[in-house]
Amino acid sequence: MKKRIGIGISDFRKLRQSDCLFIDKSLFIKEIVDTGAEILLIPRPRRFGKTLNLSMLRYFFERHEAEQEKEEADALFNGLQIKKTDAFKEHFAKYPTIFLTFKDIKEGTFEDAIQEFKLTISSEVKRHLATAPEPVTSDHSSWILKKVADFDGDISFYKKSLKVLSEFLHNLYTTPAVILIDEYDTPIHAAWQYGYYDEMISFMRGLLSGVLKDNPHIYKGVITGILRVAKESIFSDLNNLKVSTILEEEFADKFGITEDELKALFKEYEMEERLSEANAWYNGYKFGSYTIFNPWSVLNFIDSNPQHPEPYWANTSSNALVKELVIDGGLDVRENIERLIAGKTIDSVIDKNIVFPELRKKERYIYSLFFFCGYLKCVKSWYEDENLVCSLAVPNREVRYIFRNIISSWLEESFGNRKLTTMLRALVNGNLDQFQRLLNEFVITTLSFFDAKGKNPEAVYQAFVLGMLLQLGNEYEISSNRELGYGRYDILAVPKKDKSKPAILMEMKSITGFYKEDPEK
């Protein structure tokens, strides 16, 4: 009997007790136990299973005072690979565990963000104080924890609260604590977006360094997020931190869906004939040496079994930061995005440390962010003067849809949705005079003179015409830069269903001296 797919369930206990599909990643626990690193930062793209994996670690490590609770936790791992290992016998339910998620701290001001931090930390402290087997004493540590639990005290109490809590738990249970922090960088993204980056970095540095640096009261600390924020910004004091990005082999197959797991899933749900569609839309990621599929999109695709594949991952966030960097990144960035949309590659240095204030100053940071966030994949890599260089490409059709949609939405904002629709209707209906007139107006109002006079003006026009044609996506299959006959076309739009509609073939050409004669043509 096929298991129900628990879309959006990221709590391990809820998923297992609901008898939903669980792709067995439990050996992730053994890898955490076996690694020599005490503190681990594991960045992965959004919706690739970070929260579920961290939740699984919580239910594995967390100790229980009541035997019934321990038995219930043990049952969660029935049938999973970890239960066959010595690591399960040695480490299951042995450690007081601090679990925090910062995924919802996206406030518009620093003050509001700190309030959310206080609520999150206070709730976890209160949970541990309520389950303590002994009365909380009146020593200094207990006094600080009571202040935090009661939502009292200034920001300094919360900066040191996690370190104090780990010491309190270690002394109480004579066993060091496990600390799990999910989506640590979400508040940093928001802070950069809303203009309080420096204040947030200062707070996060104090919070994380305080609890994770040389803390004798910790057995393991595991942090997840999307990016590794530059060491000098937040992790400068953590000399015991090990980072495992998607470039490393460690944990490479523990996030996302591998090829073998994908084949088994499609066989189980009797959808093997649709495997090629899933491959085109949701494949393309490389974590270490593994080919990885986007789990959010794959599971949604299997669950809904739609007539046509849909961009599920694309619709889980606004992609606002990506849009901002594409539109404001300058001509070189936009030309490179066009190359990527057309199925070509670009070469860039990949910097593992993202410095948000430098994003607009160094183009390599933009591509590094796109890469680590899952919008680009590394086709091949090499080193130049100790710098990692990757040949980057769009991973799949879903991400190509995102980039085209970014361009399309920018055109709508710049040119007006009604005019854009009118222009495209004129093209489809063969009214080329009206199409040309509106296209000229679009060029004058939307593309800057310098955009069109760049190194490759044909690429600029092709990118933005592709963006416009995305509006016809329900009616036409849009492609670009593919072989046809004896040559290669720039843009081709072929009707999907109504074959009475005309196909559209476009070729971009640059005319030397055109702008010198009349820049408004």
Side-chain angles (χ1 to χ4, degrees), residues 120-132:
T120 300
I121 296 171
S122 171
S123 176
E124 184 65 1
V125 169
K126 194 178 297 183
R127 181 176 76 88
H128 283 286
L129 293 182
T131 56

Side-chain angles (χ1 to χ4, degrees), residues 106-119:
K106 307 172 184 177
E107 310 309 309
T109 67
F110 180 63
E111 291 73 22
D112 288 344
I114 291 300
Q115 287 296 101
E116 290 299 315
F117 269 107
K118 286 183 176 182
L119 284 168

Side-chain angles (χ1 to χ4, degrees), residues 461-472:
Y461 281 105
Q462 185 176 4
F464 289 102
V465 171
L466 271 173
M468 289 189 299
L469 292 179
L470 184 66
Q471 300 292 317
L472 300 176

